[in-house]
Amino acid sequence: MGVEIVKVKAIDEGMRLNRWFLKYYPGLSLGRFNKLLRTKQIKVDGKKADAALKLSAGQEVRVPPLDAEKSVEGKKELGTKDLDFIRSLVIYKDKNIIAINKPSGLAVQGGTNTTRHVDGMLEGLKFEYEEAPKLVHRIDKETSGVLVLARDRKNAEMLTKAFKEKNLQKTYLALTRGVPKVLTGDINAPLDKVREKMQVVATGKRATTTYNVIDSVGKEFALVEASPLTGRTHQIRVHLEHIGCPIVGDDKYFGETRKKYDEFANKLFLHAYKIDLSDIYSKKLVISASMPVHFVEAIKYLGLNFKGI
């Protein structure tokens, strides 16, 4: 194939030229891309362009012969099993976002010894769109519940900023070993990482969690509703442990102690129950995720009252 003149799509509005090429020609090396720019083989609307140029819908990009760079060797297509699985998790979908109910044990992104994760299955959530949705926030691997995905760049930028600035109301449910002395309140305790674990440290970063005890079993267990007003790593887990009420099944912050008491605590009992996006989209939009089976069974076993089951 020879030179192509490619029109910028509306979905790529505002994308930098270098990122546009990375998206559509993933096999194109940075060195070759820069050389093509210097030699004016890449142009936008017939003019020499800079790598950082932000594209507008309808602009025409001159693309030299790059057929071999349109794909990356070794990239695997999503199998039927994973396709069916990731689509079975969808709990909400509109033109802007997709929300899934992530199960406990499934990582959001890959890492050491983690090959199966949400990020690797996003191609299965394109539906009628040309692009896969984008991650805009994360929840821990062992935490279940609502995970929001943006369906285009505009919504991705908007939501990423909102999550970063903590403008969204997120509500978690936690089953704790022990009952808070004050049934409703705020936990203000600065956090920092100490020897691979987050801990309450006087010189740490500001961290605030609001909580409310929904129901309890004597002084042994409590079903707690918690909302982080800041976004520190493992914030709810550390804060609840800090007030003497560690989350059942939390090996990292409860450890071996919980195994002496809780035979059903083979998973973390922390669930991202709902998220309020009303302020973002100027309409009532609260997305909630049903509780996983192990959480429901524990609540029934302990006789806790919760209408959301």
Side-chain angles (χ1 to χ4, degrees), residues 78 93 113 150 253 259 263:
L78 197 64
K93 178 168 71 76
N113 300 321
Y253 297 102
K259 295 180 181 177
E263 294 182 0

Side-chain angles (χ1 to χ4, degrees), residues 44-58:
V44 177
D45 287 342
K47 300 177 182 178
K48 182 180 178 181
D50 182 82
L53 174 69
K54 289 190 176 181
L55 299 170
S56 299

Side-chain angles (χ1 to χ4, degrees), residues 20-37:
W20 186 88
F21 270 91
L22 180 63
K23 174 181 176 180
Y24 292 105
Y25 303 90
L28 179 64
S29 68
L30 178 61
R32 190 176 178 211
F33 170 72
N34 288 330
K35 183 177 180 180
L36 292 173
L37 279 178

Side-chain angles (χ1 to χ4, degrees), residues 58-116:
Q59 284 189 306
E60 296 184 339
V61 181
R62 182 188 189 276
V63 181
L66 294 176
D67 291 319
E69 285 80 3
K70 285 186 177 180
S71 62
V72 177
E73 188 176 352
K75 184 177 180 181
K76 297 180 180 179
E77 291 187 4
L78 197 64
T80 302
K81 182 178 179 180
D82 282 341
L83 175 63
D84 292 342
F85 170 71
I86 195 67
R87 290 192 172 185
S88 73
L89 304 182
V90 175
I91 54 176
Y92 180 83
K93 178 168 71 76
D94 65 20
K95 66 179 182 180
N96 299 314
I97 65 171
I98 289 175
I100 66 172
N101 187 356
K102 187 191 80 66
S104 173
L106 177 66
V108 173
Q109 291 181 298
T112 305
N113 300 321
T114 302
T115 57
R116 191 168 188 257

